[in-house]
Amino acid sequence: MDRVLVTGVRGKTGVPLAALLAARGGVEVRGGSSDPRSVDLPGVVPTAFSWDDPDGWRAAADDVDAVFVVRPDRLDAPDLVAGLLGVLPPHVHVVLLSERRAEETGGHDWAVRVERAVTSREGSWTVLRPGWFMQVLTDPRFFRDLVLDDGALPFPSRGARLAWVDVRDIAAVAAEALLAPDVHDGVTYEITGPEPLSLPETAALLAAATGREVEHRDVTDAEALEGTGGFERELTALTYDRVRAGVFADPTDDVERVTGRPPRSLRTFLADAGPDLTGGVA
Ligand SMILES: NC(=O)c1ccc[n+]([C@@H]2O[C@H](COP(=O)([O-])OP(=O)(O)OC[C@H]3O[C@@H](n4cnc5c(N)ncnc54)[C@H](OP(=O)(O)O)[C@@H]3O)[C@@H](O)[C@H]2O)c1
């Protein structure tokens, strides 16, 4: 029996990853959440895990073989992740969800320091560096309601392209890495979808999938950042800069190399999501 702790199990990658692991059989899947009562996923053991409660980390990770670490996007993330790693024995394999070109995430070097905490640990590790998730288009916390209610996809892209990636493909790579640590130890995967798409092309695919008019609005950064503050604002502003610099444009073949099949296209993802953009999750 493999035991795997999936932090961030309620999140976009956590849900499909937990489903894949639970479907394997012979895997005990612990679904880490700061609100474990809200974890209702078949075959998943709800497990209290919060970055704000280090005292609970040891119990959440007790006797596990592998941990999927969803990086908390906050300035103290390097210390938090290092702290979690500190309670894991070296035989526990760690798979970190990072992002593409983590070394270019601002003056604090915070994202690359998170990666370094993982890659310098005594013990095995795999780093996942995905591009932008297709699921931000269907997540009510991001674009879903704007697309459905306003027919708008506001994004300050200035003609840039993104090789949107389906989190189900990230989850498939993560599952392989978590369950076959010997094969994936010491490897960093750059995880993308199959094709670079502009935002107007993305809006056109959303329009076709939902049967509504959807227009890309090339808003200003100030408009896109409205309602954000502090570190989140700084990080989001930098992310838009990086989009325009083409950081998320180039597709890789890492999904196919690891899973044996090509990554899902945005068209496939949107067909699975359905016209109300609620599917395509696990
Ligand atoms: N979005 C992208 O395009 C993208 C691209 C590359 C890398 N990344 C990285 O991926 C990581 C985020 O991973 P993710 O997208 O899988 O996580 P996510 O969807 O952002 O969820 C993260 C956590 O938010 C909490 N949460 C609060 N309200 C929620 C709700 N209504 N539904 C679900 N979760 C809720 C959950 O923790 P609790 O259960 O503890 O409340 C959940 O685990 C970040 O490090 C980010 O930088 C993202």
Side-chain angles (χ1 to χ4, degrees):
M1 165 75 82
D2 279 306
R3 286 195 189 86
V4 180
L5 170 64
V6 176
T7 71
V9 79
R10 288 203 304 140
K12 290 185 283 301
T13 42
V15 169
L17 174 58
L20 278 179
L21 293 171
R24 290 279 180 121
V27 181
E28 179 187 306
V29 187
R30 292 194 197 156
S33 168
S34 60
D35 185 9
R37 278 169 308 178
S38 65
V39 175
D40 182 18
L41 301 165
V44 174
V45 183
T47 302
F49 179 90
S50 167
W51 291 111
D52 293 316
D53 182 19
D55 291 345
W57 296 345
R58 207 175 282 277
D62 181 45
D63 214 16
V64 295
D65 301 289
V67 179
F68 180 67
V69 179
V70 174
R71 182 191 68 188
D73 286 356
R74 41 196 269 190
L75 206 42
D76 58 354
D79 295 334
L80 292 173
V81 171
L84 171 62
L85 301 180
V87 308
L88 304 177
H91 73 267
V92 175
H93 186 63
V94 172
V95 176
L96 172 72
L97 183 67
S98 181
E99 67 179 293
R100 290 195 88 179
R101 291 208 224 151
E103 60 280 1
E104 295 171 11
T105 45
H108 315 289
D109 270 351
W110 72 284
V112 79
R113 286 194 289 125
V114 171
E115 287 193 351
R116 269 194 224 120
V118 171
T119 59
S120 64
R121 78 183 280 261
E122 186 193 338
S124 62
W125 56 267
T126 306
V127 171
L128 310 183
R129 287 181 152 198
W132 273 60
F133 302 171
M134 293 177 187
Q135 275 77 358
V136 299
L137 301 169
T138 57
D139 188 330
R141 292 173 290 160
F142 290 84
F143 293 114
R144 178 170 178 264
D145 295 346
L146 294 166
V147 168
L148 291 182
D149 298 345
D150 304 342
L153 181 60
F155 197 118
S157 65
R158 315 285 182 270
R161 289 170 183 269
L162 295 130
W164 299 101
V165 60
D166 190 321
V167 297
R168 294 173 297 178
D169 292 322
I170 303 172
V173 173
E176 292 301 323
L178 289 160
L179 298 179
D182 294 350
V183 179
H184 303 284
D185 180 19
V187 185
T188 296
Y189 293 113
E190 302 273 339
I191 306 179
T192 74
E195 56 183 343
L197 292 168
S198 69
L199 268 294
E201 287 166 341
T202 303
L205 288 168
L206 278 163
T210 59
R212 297 158 193 258
E213 281 190 18
V214 181
E215 183 197 9
H216 167 235
R217 293 191 192 144
D218 212 353
V219 291
T220 63
D221 280 14
E223 286 171 296
L225 295 170
E226 214 177 294
T228 62
F231 185 59
E232 183 198 1
R233 187 179 180 89
E234 191 184 323
L235 194 60
T236 311
L238 181 70
T239 305
Y240 287 129
D241 282 344
R242 297 169 73 224
V243 166
R244 294 187 290 259
V247 166
F248 302 99
D250 297 335
T252 72
D253 62 359
D254 283 8
V255 169
E256 184 152 14
R257 281 199 300 130
V258 175
T259 68
R261 50 161 193 73
R264 293 167 174 89
S265 66
L266 185 59
R267 194 182 295 274
T268 299
F269 164 67
L270 291 173
D272 292 348
D276 58 358
L277 303 181
T278 52
V281 176

